[in-house]
Amino acid sequence: MADKQISLPAKLINGGIAGLIGVTCVFPIDLAKTRLQNQQNGARLYTSMSDCLIKTIRSEGYFGMYRGAAVNLTLVTPEKAIKLAANDFFRQHLSKDGKLTLVKEMLAGCGAGTCQVIVTTPMEMLKIQLQDAGRVAAQRKLMPETVAAGTVETKSPTAMQLTRELLKEKGIAGLYKGLGATLLRDVPFSIIYFPLFANLNNLGKRGSEGPAPFYVSFIAGCAAGSTAAVAVNPVDVIKTRLQSLNRGSTEDTYSGVTDCIRKILRNEGPSAFLKGAYCRALVIAPLFGIAQVIYFLGVGEFILSFLPNKDK
């Protein structure tokens, strides 16, 4: 059965609402993931996700867990909307010539992942700087040996300050640092996630034509999201390291994806590529579970039904 005809404005609304709700719920875990992934041997401030969140609250207060949330909430709306709507668009067009095979589903996911990277990369770049600022500040206080001598402590930058600084020093390219790693993460993620979700969701459909219940969509979204998240976590570690600008004096810097892989393997071992994997799974699972429920409940279609119909 071909995918149903999509209403692009409705899908954009669905994706945006889903992103806003999901990110608000799981952002503290995402912050812990970023800080755990950025830790290197000799500068380990946090031992686990719970330890990171507890120390963050103690040193920065409750709202310290939401550093970078404003950037994420502002840009996650078009990011989620683009990814979900683009996947529907490609699935619809690829199914016109016959059955939507697994290969075509993977191609649709590939197209969706490629489209969303345009929005994702600057968002991730700014979000990571804001999320990791607290870790660097805490290192200055609790692990002064990791900070270069003569380093002056500065206030945490705002998103606007970071944007102006990057644009001034490196132009638009500064906001797209780590683009290659982001593509290597988000395209495979979408290739895994969308076909896996569609097939898991189909298992719970009521008959050949009926939609799956909302709880089936939620479980399918969680299962597919966590699976895809863990599968691409090694690339997420590389992307996080490449996009982080502030480091302690004992921490490595990287010139590119290959250099990052080589230094991580040499200095930290293969297990370093799994840093933050369980945090990432805990972030992605409910994020995509919520997204799919809102998407399939047709919240966007409901909102648009109150607007005047020009065709009447």
Side-chain angles (χ1 to χ4, degrees):
M1 183 182 70
D3 283 18
K4 62 182 181 181
Q5 185 75 20
I6 65 170
S7 164
L8 185 58
K11 298 307 179 186
L12 293 174
I13 293 171
N14 286 333
I17 293 173
L20 290 172
I21 295 173
V23 168
T24 302
C25 294
V26 302
F27 194 83
I29 304 174
D30 187 58
L31 178 136
K33 185 262 315 178
T34 296
R35 293 186 178 186
L36 288 170
Q37 286 182 339
N38 263 331
Q39 288 191 139
Q40 299 183 25
N41 291 343
R44 294 177 61 84
L45 182 63
Y46 312 112
T47 58
S48 64
M49 179 185 74
S50 58
D51 181 56
C52 178
L53 293 176
I54 290 169
K55 287 179 177 176
T56 297
I57 292 172
R58 285 176 179 171
S59 62
E60 304 168 55
Y62 175 80
F63 290 104
M65 294 191 298
Y66 282 87
R67 280 181 182 270
V71 172
N72 216 18
L73 288 170
T74 300
L75 293 178
V76 77
T77 302
E79 183 264 325
K80 275 287 174 294
I82 289 169
K83 176 181 275 188
L84 294 171
N87 179 67
D88 265 4
F89 175 82
F90 289 121
R91 286 174 69 89
Q92 179 187 332
H93 282 270
L94 287 170
S95 64
K96 283 182 177 178
D97 299 326
K99 184 180 177 182
L100 192 64
T101 63
L102 179 60
V103 173
K104 288 182 178 179
E105 288 182 327
M106 293 172 72
L107 284 173
C110 177
T114 303
C115 290
Q116 64 125 134
V117 165
I118 298 169
V119 173
T120 299
T121 303
M123 177 194 75
E124 292 274 351
M125 181 70 184
L126 295 173
K127 184 192 74 172
I128 285 170
Q129 311 316 312
L130 295 167
Q131 285 183 330
D132 205 42
R135 180 186 71 91
V136 176
Q139 279 187 350
R140 289 193 177 100
K141 295 177 181 177
L142 303 176
M143 304 172 68
E145 68 277 4
T146 65
V147 181
T151 300
V152 179
E153 184 173 351
T154 57
K155 291 184 178 180
S156 298
T158 65
M160 287 303 298
Q161 287 172 337
L162 280 170
T163 303
R164 282 196 297 266
E165 184 179 331
L166 285 168
L167 289 174
K168 182 179 178 181
E169 293 181 2
K170 301 181 180 181
I172 295 294
L175 292 174
Y176 280 86
K177 185 178 180 182
L179 174 63
T182 306
L183 278 167
L184 288 174
R185 182 197 67 174
D186 288 345
V187 172
F189 177 93
S190 295
I191 289 173
I192 296 168
Y193 171 77
F194 284 110
L196 182 56
F197 167 78
N199 286 280
L200 289 175
N201 194 57
N202 284 339
L203 294 176
K205 281 189 173 181
R206 294 168 177 162
S208 59
E209 298 295 327
F214 78 92
Y215 59 85
V216 172
S217 294
F218 178 78
I219 294 171
C222 288
S226 57
T227 301
V230 173
V232 302
N233 194 75
V235 187
D236 191 52
V237 172
I238 295 167
K239 183 197 72 67
T240 300
R241 296 283 182 91
L242 288 174
Q243 290 184 322
S244 296
L245 301 177
N246 297 316
R247 300 192 181 280
S249 61
T250 62
E251 295 179 333
D252 289 325
T253 56
Y254 312 103
S255 60
V257 173
T258 304
D259 181 56
C260 184
I261 294 172
R262 186 176 66 250
K263 286 180 177 176
I264 290 175
L265 285 173
R266 184 183 65 204
N267 299 330
E268 303 172 62
S271 63
F273 290 107
L274 295 177
K275 285 184 176 180
Y278 67 99
C279 289
R280 182 163 166 75
L282 288 173
V283 168
I284 296 297
L287 189 60
F288 277 86
I290 292 167
Q292 294 297 353
V293 168
I294 291 175
Y295 209 60
F296 281 90
L297 285 177
V299 176
E301 287 85 345
F302 177 76
I303 293 172
L304 290 176
S305 69
F306 288 95
L307 298 178
N309 190 338
K310 293 180 179 180
D311 294 333
K312 288 183 179 180

